[in-house]
Amino acid sequence: MIKTPYLLFLGDAPDQLAAKVARGIGDWRPDNVVGQLRLEGCRADVGAPDMSLQEAWDKGARTLVIGVANRGGVISPSWKAVLHQALDMGYDLASGLHNLLRDEPDLVAVANSAGRMLHDVRIPSVKYPIASGVKRTGKRCLPVGTDCSVGKMYTALCMEKAMHAKGMKATFRATGQTGILITGDGVPLDAVIADFMAGSIEHLTPDNEADHWDLIEGQGSLFHASYSGVTMALVHGGQPDALILCDEPGRAHMRGLPDYQMPSLEQVRDMALSLARIVNPACQAVGVSLNTSAMGDSEALEYCRSVEKRLGLPAVDPFRHGAEPLADALKAL
Amino acid sequence: MIKTPYLLFLGDAPDQLAAKVARGIGDWRPDNVVGQLRLEGCRADVGAPDMSLQEAWDKGARTLVIGVANRGGVISPSWKAVLHQALDMGYDLASGLHNLLRDEPDLVAVANSAGRMLHDVRIPSVKYPIASGVKRTGKRCLPVGTDCSVGKMYTALCMEKAMHAKGMKATFRATGQTGILITGDGVPLDAVIADFMAGSIEHLTPDNEADHWDLIEGQGSLFHASYSGVTMALVHGGQPDALILCDEPGRAHMRGLPDYQMPSLEQVRDMALSLARIVNPACQAVGVSLNTSAMGDSEALEYCRSVEKRLGLPAVDPFRHGAEPLADALKAL
């Protein structure tokens, strides 16, 4: 677990997109954010108050989160002075970069002498078990996508928010680097050793109250030749009671695979249900989440309505329209 | 790389299946095996002469191969005395367990002071790529099973032998520690990082002559809650042209999962074909491989005949009856 609250480090982010990790934290866990720290030339702003290390420390911040990804995912030399100073002051550091904090000898030396933690959320910090396949108490929902990066994480986060608003018990369970930094905990599934993938998801979603929902962050797609094994581990380790079908309409082909057509939502539904029912015969597809960010308002609403009719399931863009219909679908199950 | 011949260490294997690593080596490279070493309580027997470390040493054995796998792949404390003694006598150790020899400080200390080698064949020695999904030249066959340990590796090895006897071009491609110990090359798939699983299989089965067959060692089962993600990566990374359906009749439940029923061969065929055709629309199920080791001769033949009729595909126990019908099925494709 990463100590909260955070000071978000935006470094010298060249644009808004480079700070999307920080923005995710600010959007989804505003209570965990004391402020943002920007270096000269920074062109990103996640809307949190600008603060020095000292100001944020005085307001309770205990972890400096590197919320910026530059090209290549490296730790920039120009960040080092601030990172050293933070460690000396008592901050832990957290990062989801490919370039690990622990692979920087100077940071390790300062952290060791100051007694601070370096959290590299890109790699697992837990020895996961082999999956047992044993049924757990409580309920689980998994968004499954036609493709990678269609909005599965946002779907789960939007649903958590909508469910909390309805007084339902729900916990977002992070399986990727951004999700882990947002919540401070989770499984970096794409970096887990193959044999322990499903076990890591069982570990992430343990026994719970009968009316509690785990909202598991999805990864990859059963139809994506590069990452389908990761998705399979989510389906079998998660033992979902409910699936949300996720799509971004308009893609010409699978992400990174120009020779591969996108599957239909019906194909995703049928394949995912067949596989999920091996571990949970009661599993149902209960809703559709559509990433309509490329559409105008009326086009987006019209598209959702047409999918709703076609699939016979509530279909929304949860980031745009709210996830209430998906939360209601879980409530009705 | 690993010194031969071997003494096969069976430890305190609770059953015959737990010693399948040793049995694989004994069956496919008998010339490399001097004998077997069993501890008190061992319930496995691979048919090699029982020997002490000293007897085997005198007959030329130079590597003690840990040919037993317990659940979770750990090095049992009860094995340590023998392993220390072996290193002191001059043996190298070789193991395919998840729990690495090199991660046991006591073994490392004894090996270093005795000048011996610790071979962990489970460790990937290559930085595998992300799968591209691009079609390769040459042909590929993948055995897919109802369950773990039903005979997928033996099926591929038997088919290689039968195909070579017919003058066909065929290469067994190892994906597990036993296969790697047998052939000296391959991908330790269950130890590969999740994101690179399918890519490792593309790497293992590259472009080849148009009439060459890769016979890919299968792993796990699409129906096994613990390991299905690994199987999925074989199906999508391997892009098989042909599937062999593998089963061991008579199992009461899935291996290690008492709450899970075995799927039928028809279920395995339908699920595996649906998934394989995402990456290779021409993929066919061409034969059935049955592990009839628990049956008498006439019962085994009768069972194969009944499955052949039921599935409309050649059905044999390739280890018992030879794999010619399966080789012919590939030839006819």
Side-chain angles (χ1 to χ4, degrees):
Chain A
M1 290 284 286
I2 302 169
K3 276 189 220 153
T4 54
Y6 304 151
L7 174 61
L8 300 177
F9 179 72
L10 307 197
D12 45 4
D15 55 32
Q16 199 67 344
L17 195 62
K20 71 172 187 169
V21 171
R23 204 179 132 211
I25 301 169
D27 283 346
W28 296 105
R29 289 294 184 272
D31 293 351
N32 285 349
V33 176
V34 162
Q36 63 185 14
L37 193 161
R38 304 192 289 169
L39 300 182
E40 197 174 310
C42 180
R43 295 206 186 82
D45 182 347
V46 301
D50 283 298
M51 280 184 200
S52 67
L53 287 172
Q54 190 61 56
E55 288 169 313
W57 181 267
D58 293 341
K59 290 192 183 297
R62 289 299 176 261
T63 303
L64 183 68
V65 175
I66 298 181
V68 52
N70 52 20
R71 209 172 166 74
V74 300
I75 295 164
S76 170
S78 67
W79 303 349
K80 284 291 180 66
V82 173
L83 302 184
H84 288 182
Q85 200 191 337
L87 288 167
D88 278 333
M89 286 180 60
Y91 282 95
D92 293 337
L93 301 184
S95 161
L97 297 175
H98 277 288
N99 179 180
L100 304 181
L101 297 168
R102 73 188 63 175
D103 287 344
E104 298 293 299
D106 57 318
L107 293 180
V108 172
V110 178
N112 283 346
S113 76
R116 308 318 324 159
M117 298 281 290
L118 301 177
H119 296 284
D120 287 303
V121 304
R122 188 159 290 272
I123 55 172
S125 55
V126 173
K127 198 165 160 20
Y128 301 113
I130 298 272
S132 72
V134 173
K135 178 84 181 157
R136 280 105 71 205
T137 52
K139 292 183 175 296
R140 282 151 203 92
C141 174
L142 177 69
V144 289
T146 51
D147 196 2
C148 300
S149 309
V150 293
K152 294 182 294 291
M153 184 185 79
Y154 270 58
T155 298
L157 284 163
C158 289
M159 289 179 70
E160 185 192 44
K161 188 175 165 189
M163 291 169 80
H164 285 172
K166 288 176 185 291
M168 296 172 71
K169 295 170 189 164
T171 308
F172 171 76
R173 299 295 191 183
T175 65
Q177 286 77 19
T178 304
I180 295 170
L181 286 173
I182 288 173
T183 62
D185 199 10
V187 168
L189 184 58
D190 61 11
V192 172
I193 298 288
D195 246 7
F196 302 96
M197 293 186 300
S200 74
I201 301 305
E202 290 188 352
H203 172 90
L204 180 70
T205 60
D207 280 328
N208 216 316
E209 293 168 87
D211 59 347
H212 176 274
W213 283 92
D214 278 328
L215 302 164
I216 307 172
E217 181 187 353
Q219 296 292 337
S221 166
L222 295 169
F223 289 80
H224 196 293
S226 311
Y227 307 115
S228 55
V230 177
T231 313
M232 180 72 121
L234 282 164
V235 172
H236 280 174
Q239 294 182 9
D241 300 276
L243 301 177
I244 304 293
L245 312 175
C246 301
D247 188 31
E248 181 181 45
R251 290 203 181 179
H253 58 74
M254 295 290 282
R255 186 169 168 81
L257 306 177
D259 297 338
Y260 288 80
Q261 301 292 307
M262 296 284 289
S264 67
L265 283 163
E266 286 87 345
Q267 285 175 292
V268 172
R269 175 195 64 200
D270 294 347
M271 185 68 82
L273 277 179
S274 299
L275 290 166
R277 285 175 176 165
I278 293 170
V279 293
N280 186 347
C283 184
Q284 303 275 346
V286 301
V288 182
S289 171
L290 299 164
N291 179 346
T292 63
S293 51
M295 295 179 177
D297 285 345
S298 62
E299 190 191 359
L301 274 175
E302 185 52 42
Y303 187 79
C304 290
R305 238 176 266 131
S306 74
V307 170
E308 195 160 291
K309 197 170 164 190
R310 204 179 92 207
L311 275 285
L313 294 172
V316 293
D317 181 331
F319 195 59
R320 191 168 196 163
H321 309 126
E324 285 73 16
L326 303 179
D328 287 339
L330 291 190
K331 204 165 196 174
L333 204 66
Chain B
M1 176 183 85
I2 300 174
K3 279 189 217 155
T4 56
Y6 303 150
L7 174 61
L8 301 176
F9 178 72
L10 306 198
D12 44 6
D15 56 33
Q16 198 70 343
L17 271 176
K20 72 171 184 165
V21 172
R23 204 176 135 215
I25 300 167
D27 285 343
W28 297 101
R29 292 292 185 276
D31 292 351
N32 285 347
V33 177
V34 161
Q36 64 184 13
L37 193 160
R38 304 192 290 168
L39 300 182
E40 197 172 310
C42 181
R43 295 208 185 82
D45 182 348
V46 301
D50 283 299
M51 281 185 198
S52 68
L53 288 171
Q54 189 61 56
E55 289 170 313
W57 181 266
D58 293 341
K59 289 192 184 296
R62 291 297 176 264
T63 303
L64 183 68
V65 175
I66 297 182
V68 52
N70 47 24
R71 196 170 165 81
V74 300
I75 294 164
S76 170
S78 67
W79 302 348
K80 285 290 182 68
V82 174
L83 302 185
H84 289 181
Q85 201 189 335
L87 288 167
D88 279 333
M89 286 179 61
Y91 282 94
D92 292 338
L93 301 184
S95 162
L97 297 175
H98 272 293
N99 179 179
L100 304 182
L101 298 168
R102 72 186 67 172
D103 287 344
E104 296 292 299
D106 57 319
L107 294 180
V108 171
V110 179
N112 283 346
S113 77
R116 307 318 323 159
M117 296 283 290
L118 300 177
H119 297 287
D120 287 303
V121 305
R122 184 171 292 272
I123 297 294
S125 52
V126 174
K127 195 167 162 18
Y128 301 115
I130 299 273
S132 72
V134 173
K135 177 85 181 156
R136 280 103 71 204
T137 53
K139 291 183 175 295
R140 283 152 203 91
C141 174
L142 177 69
V144 289
T146 51
D147 196 1
C148 299
S149 310
V150 293
K152 294 181 294 292
M153 185 186 77
Y154 273 58
T155 299
L157 284 162
C158 290
M159 287 178 72
E160 183 191 45
K161 189 175 165 189
M163 290 169 80
H164 286 172
K166 287 176 186 292
M168 296 171 71
K169 296 170 189 164
T171 308
F172 171 77
R173 300 294 190 183
T175 64
Q177 68 272 20
T178 307
I180 295 170
L181 282 169
I182 290 171
T183 64
D185 195 15
V187 168
L189 182 59
D190 60 13
V192 172
I193 297 289
D195 248 6
F196 303 97
M197 293 187 300
S200 76
I201 302 306
E202 292 188 351
H203 172 90
L204 180 69
T205 60
D207 280 328
N208 215 315
E209 295 168 86
D211 59 346
H212 176 276
W213 282 92
D214 278 328
L215 301 164
I216 306 172
E217 181 187 353
Q219 295 293 336
S221 166
L222 295 167
F223 290 79
H224 197 292
S226 309
Y227 308 115
S228 55
V230 178
T231 313
M232 180 71 121
L234 281 164
V235 172
H236 281 173
Q239 295 182 7
D241 301 276
L243 302 176
I244 304 291
L245 312 174
C246 300
D247 188 31
E248 182 181 44
R251 289 201 183 181
H253 58 74
M254 296 290 283
R255 182 163 170 82
L257 305 177
D259 297 337
Y260 287 80
Q261 301 293 307
M262 296 284 289
S264 67
L265 283 164
E266 287 86 345
Q267 286 174 291
V268 173
R269 176 196 62 198
D270 294 346
M271 186 68 82
L273 277 179
S274 298
L275 290 166
R277 286 176 177 165
I278 293 170
V279 292
N280 186 348
C283 184
Q284 303 276 345
V286 301
V288 182
S289 172
L290 299 163
N291 179 346
T292 64
S293 52
M295 295 180 178
D297 284 344
S298 62
E299 190 190 359
L301 274 174
E302 185 52 43
Y303 187 79
C304 289
R305 236 177 268 133
S306 75
V307 170
E308 194 159 290
K309 198 172 163 189
R310 205 180 92 206
L311 276 285
L313 294 172
V316 293
D317 182 331
F319 194 59
R320 192 169 194 163
H321 308 127
E324 285 73 15
L326 303 180
D328 288 339
L330 291 190
K331 204 166 196 173
L333 205 66

